[in-house]
């Protein structure tokens, strides 16, 4: 079976820059398998990525984007439909899907080995849903569970929420995607929360794996909460126009390091959080890039 990295990037150029940076860290890790990007702006991505012969660009037209979001215009539904489309086209692939806001800590070789052995992979376990009352979106979900018997019946007391920024599976298990899509639609119809897609993946992959979903956290860093990093990426791609310069300077803007101040703010509580909020919350760490190539 062929190893495939899949991702999607459309709309804002900041998201496309995230995607390009993620794939640069992937290539630097030594990955030599296939890559497919679903995008509405392939030429913009090509201007930021090397022509290694590994990367395939699948055009996302506006009509398809609207169709895949469904009747409720649920943005994360698009991911499920893209994965389903890929599996129909490539029935013999080891698939590792990544969101654009990711950075490879190391080669995905170990993850592909897990997938080849029949394991299901997601990014990380965020914990038991009913114990996450410190997070606003989980409080909304818990409230929805309490007010909807049908929804409550789907989500048991021991259900863990897994982050779906990374998904790994064999494409011949595409029936799981049909289950995820159906469940996601039902969940979102019951309570229109943006986490319903990842909840659907958590439930379906959890059941299919016998509760043994494998984590990709060691290999991949996912900075979904760090939208401010897009400004840094804009500076990076504007300043460094040479392919070699970009690869040589990836570590100068490592999001795992740069997000430390924001993480400190996010994880603080009570008086400390109020104090930080009154004093500007947090500051973006300084970074240094080589002077722009003439």
């Amino acid at each position: 079976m062929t190893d495939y990295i899949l991702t999607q990037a459309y709309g804002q150029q900041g998201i496309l820059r995230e995607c390009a940076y993620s794939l640069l860290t992937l290539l630097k890790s030594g990955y030599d398998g296939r890559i497919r990007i679903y995008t509405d702006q392939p030429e913009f991505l090509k201007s930021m990525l090397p022509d290694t012969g590994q990367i395939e660009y699948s055009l996302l037209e506006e009509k398809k984007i609207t169709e895949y979001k469904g009747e409720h215009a649920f943005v994360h539904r698009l991911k499920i439909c893209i994965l389903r489309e890929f599996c129909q086209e490539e029935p013999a692939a080891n698939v590792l899907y990544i969101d654009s806001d990711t950075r490879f800590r190391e080669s995905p070789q170990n993850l592909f080995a897990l997938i080849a052995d029949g394991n299901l992979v997601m990014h990380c376990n965020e914990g038991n849903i009913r114990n996450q009352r410190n997070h606003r979106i989980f409080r909304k979900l818990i409230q929805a569970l309490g007010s909807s018997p049908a929804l409550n019946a789907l989500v048991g007391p021991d259900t863990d929420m897994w982050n779906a920024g990374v998904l790994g599976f064999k494409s011949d298990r595409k029936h799981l995607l049909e289950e995820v899509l159906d469940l996601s639609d039902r969940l979102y119809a019951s309570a229109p929360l943006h986490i319903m897609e990842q909840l659907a993946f958590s439930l379906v992959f959890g059941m299919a794996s016998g509760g043994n979903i494998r984590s990709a956290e060691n290999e991949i860093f996912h900075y979904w909460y760090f939208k401010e990093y897009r400004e840094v990426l804009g500076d990076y791609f504007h300043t460094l126009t040479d392919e070699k310069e970009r690869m040589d300077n990836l570590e100068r803007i490592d999001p795992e390091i740069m997000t430390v101040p924001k993480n400190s703010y996010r994880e603080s509580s009570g008086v400390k959080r109020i104090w930080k909020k009154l004093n500007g919350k947090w500051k973006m760490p300084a970074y240094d890039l080589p002077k722009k190539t003439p």
Side-chain angles (χ1 to χ4, degrees):
M1 299 182 82
T2 305
D3 290 347
Y4 258 99
I5 293 285
L6 260 60
T7 189
Q8 57 166 320
Y10 66 96
Q12 299 177 32
Q13 289 191 342
I15 295 174
L16 276 81
R17 292 189 186 100
E18 286 179 345
C19 176
Y21 181 82
S22 177
L23 294 179
L24 288 177
T25 66
L26 168 67
L27 293 171
K28 192 163 186 177
S29 78
Y31 175 73
D32 60 0
R34 307 301 302 169
I35 300 168
R36 185 177 297 187
I37 312 171
Y38 289 82
T39 180
D40 61 344
Q41 300 170 64
E43 295 307 316
F44 184 65
L45 280 169
K46 288 177 184 179
S47 73
M48 296 182 286
L49 290 167
D51 184 10
T52 63
Q54 299 169 248
I55 305 176
E56 305 166 6
Y57 297 87
S58 289
L59 183 63
L60 271 179
E61 296 178 337
E62 186 60 36
K63 181 180 179 181
K64 178 176 283 189
I65 292 172
T66 300
E67 175 191 345
Y68 280 3
K69 286 181 180 178
E71 63 175 314
H72 299 294
F74 181 28
V75 63
H76 298 308
R77 189 181 190 273
L78 182 74
K79 178 196 299 188
I80 310 170
C81 292
I82 285 173
L83 291 172
R84 184 177 63 168
E85 176 184 313
F86 174 84
C87 290
Q88 290 169 346
E89 295 176 3
E90 299 286 345
N94 297 316
V95 181
L96 185 63
Y97 168 88
I98 56 169
D99 278 350
S100 62
D101 47 0
T102 50
R103 174 189 178 274
F104 280 82
R105 289 168 164 157
E106 60 183 67
S107 167
Q109 177 181 353
N110 290 336
L111 296 176
F112 277 114
L114 288 171
I115 295 166
D117 284 342
N119 292 284
L120 296 171
V121 174
M122 296 184 70
H123 182 249
C124 65
N125 189 340
E126 295 179 344
N128 184 281
I129 289 172
R130 298 172 193 269
N131 294 335
Q132 302 295 320
R133 297 182 181 275
N134 291 332
H135 300 278
R136 182 169 58 89
I137 190 64
F138 279 98
R139 289 199 298 271
K140 287 186 176 181
L141 177 56
I142 292 169
Q143 183 179 9
L145 292 173
S147 60
S148 170
L151 187 59
N152 190 64
L154 290 171
V155 184
D158 298 323
T159 301
D160 286 341
M161 179 72 86
W162 279 76
N163 185 290
V166 178
L167 297 163
F169 56 94
K170 287 184 176 183
S171 61
D172 62 7
R173 303 184 76 180
K174 58 183 179 293
H175 66 280
L176 295 178
L177 298 174
E178 300 293 346
E179 294 178 24
V180 170
L181 183 61
D182 175 68
L183 182 56
S184 178
D185 285 346
R186 286 191 285 143
L187 291 170
Y188 197 78
S190 297
L193 303 175
H194 71 80
I195 58 173
M196 289 313 197
E197 161 262 340
Q198 76 176 79
L199 176 56
F201 271 111
S202 298
L203 290 167
V204 173
F205 276 27
M207 180 71 70
S209 67
N212 191 31
I213 299 172
R214 306 301 289 269
S215 172
E217 193 171 14
N218 289 338
E219 292 82 5
I220 301 172
F221 177 65
H222 185 203
Y223 56 92
W224 54 269
Y225 51 86
F226 193 29
K227 307 305 182 190
E228 298 85 356
Y229 186 62
R230 293 174 186 171
E231 296 181 17
V232 178
L233 289 172
D235 189 13
Y236 170 83
F237 283 106
H238 175 73
T239 301
L240 305 177
T241 56
D242 178 77
E243 181 180 307
K244 185 176 185 303
E245 281 186 319
R246 287 175 176 171
M247 294 298 285
D248 289 346
N249 289 280
L250 285 172
E251 305 306 320
R252 287 178 181 262
I253 58 164
D254 184 345
E256 193 162 359
I257 295 174
M258 299 195 73
T259 193
V260 169
K262 185 168 187 180
N263 263 337
S264 177
Y265 171 75
R266 291 175 63 244
E267 293 171 1
S268 59
S269 59
V271 175
K272 287 184 178 180
R273 188 178 182 90
I274 294 172
W275 175 256
K276 288 181 180 180
K277 188 173 184 178
L278 292 173
N279 286 274
K281 297 185 180 180
W282 61 276
K283 292 182 179 179
M284 180 74 74
Y287 58 95
D288 178 42
L289 292 172
K291 292 182 179 179
K292 185 175 181 179
T293 302

